[in-house]
Amino acid sequence: MTEVKRALAIGAHPDDAEFGAGGTMARLAREGWEVTYIVVTNGNKGTHDRALSPFELFATREIEQRKALDVLGGKTHAIHLRYNDGELEASAALRLEMALYIRVLKPNLVFSHDPWKQYMWHPDHRAVGFAVIDGLVSARDHLFVPGMMQVGIDLWRPETLYLWAAEQPDHFEDITSSLDTKIASLREHHTQLDNAKGWEERVRTRAAEIGAPHGLAAAEGFKKMIV
């Protein structure tokens, strides 16, 4: 992983990439990688506060996401697609959009949700996971979306796809040195976590549990798929 320099994390909502792969992204950013987050929805339904309008929440969560990436430093930026929270479908249009971004951004590594995770609650997580996987096929193969090539957007095949919160993880990234940065990045998501008691302890405990069988103080687990 030391030779490639572009990583793309695609999450359904602001904070999804931080929870799923924030330690890995923090370490890569520190090592000089270009790190891009694509946030597919605006997160405008992610609150239990009945006084907060979806319009206020949308604007606030986008600011929080940008500040969370600032914590990582380095060459990091976010792309916000601004679909309405809770309304995503793994449609042909969303697949095409994922293929377009993959071809244009040319990531060596892609990270996203595991859509096959058993008992996955949120429909947006499933939709994004499937759209990313389907979009990777469209991005790499020349007979998919030939119109892109006609306007100069050539094929791109990332080396590896990593699915976070995986049903069957088989790849583990050491985040011992970047766990604190992951936590600091998550803290910027105030609308989600300021009133969530014990979340930091749970994140630290889970990282330790994932890392322990592999001799690591803290780790993130993924399903690794060669594209």
Side-chain angles (χ1 to χ4, degrees):
M1 292 183 64
T2 58
E3 295 182 1
V4 287
K5 292 298 179 185
R6 291 184 301 275
L8 173 63
I10 305 175
H13 311 97
D15 81 20
D16 284 347
E18 284 87 345
F19 274 114
T24 303
M25 296 299 103
R27 200 192 72 237
L28 294 179
R30 186 181 65 217
E31 293 172 359
W33 288 49
E34 296 179 4
V35 174
T36 301
Y37 283 10
I38 293 179
V39 184
V40 180
T41 79
N42 54 25
N44 67 353
K45 295 184 177 69
T47 184
H48 297 291
D49 183 353
R50 296 192 179 192
L52 187 60
S53 78
F55 306 103
E56 293 174 293
L57 186 58
F58 167 11
T60 302
R61 293 200 71 183
E62 192 162 303
I63 292 169
E64 290 173 348
Q65 180 64 82
R66 290 172 179 171
K67 289 183 176 179
L69 264 180
D70 287 344
V71 171
L72 270 60
K75 300 175 183 178
T76 59
H77 70 283
I79 298 169
H80 296 268
L81 304 188
R82 296 170 179 155
Y83 286 87
N84 273 331
D85 193 349
E87 300 177 16
L88 285 180
E89 295 181 1
S91 63
L94 188 59
R95 176 196 311 176
L96 176 64
E97 195 163 4
M98 295 299 102
L100 174 62
Y101 279 108
I102 290 164
R103 287 189 181 191
V104 170
L105 294 172
K106 295 179 169 52
N108 300 95
L109 309 179
V110 177
F111 297 77
S112 194
H113 302 272
D114 180 358
W116 294 291
K117 183 175 176 61
Q118 194 172 24
Y119 308 124
M120 171 82 75
W121 276 98
H122 207 298
D124 289 346
H125 292 187
R126 297 193 301 269
V128 168
F130 281 123
V132 169
I133 292 166
D134 295 346
L136 281 165
V137 175
S138 298
R140 75 183 185 185
D141 293 345
H142 73 281
L143 293 179
F144 286 83
V145 206
M148 286 190 190
M149 296 178 66
Q150 293 171 13
V151 295
I153 302 174
D154 208 349
L155 307 176
W156 184 256
R157 180 190 289 263
E159 295 176 12
T160 313
L161 169 66
Y162 294 98
L163 300 176
W164 64 64
E167 182 68 22
Q168 298 176 331
D170 55 13
H171 179 87
F172 303 90
E173 285 291 328
D174 186 359
I175 63 165
T176 304
S177 66
S178 58
L179 179 57
D180 286 343
T181 306
K182 170 176 177 152
I183 296 293
S185 184
L186 279 165
R187 286 195 192 111
E188 295 297 334
H189 295 281
H190 298 285
T191 57
Q192 306 305 296
L193 297 174
D194 280 2
N195 296 317
K197 295 181 180 179
W199 70 265
E200 181 175 338
E201 181 180 355
R202 289 193 296 273
V203 170
R204 292 185 182 279
T205 298
R206 183 58 180 152
E209 291 172 348
I210 293 172
H214 310 285
L216 303 172
E220 291 172 335
F222 305 93
K223 177 64 178 179
K224 180 179 180 179
M225 304 178 72
I226 303 301
V227 179

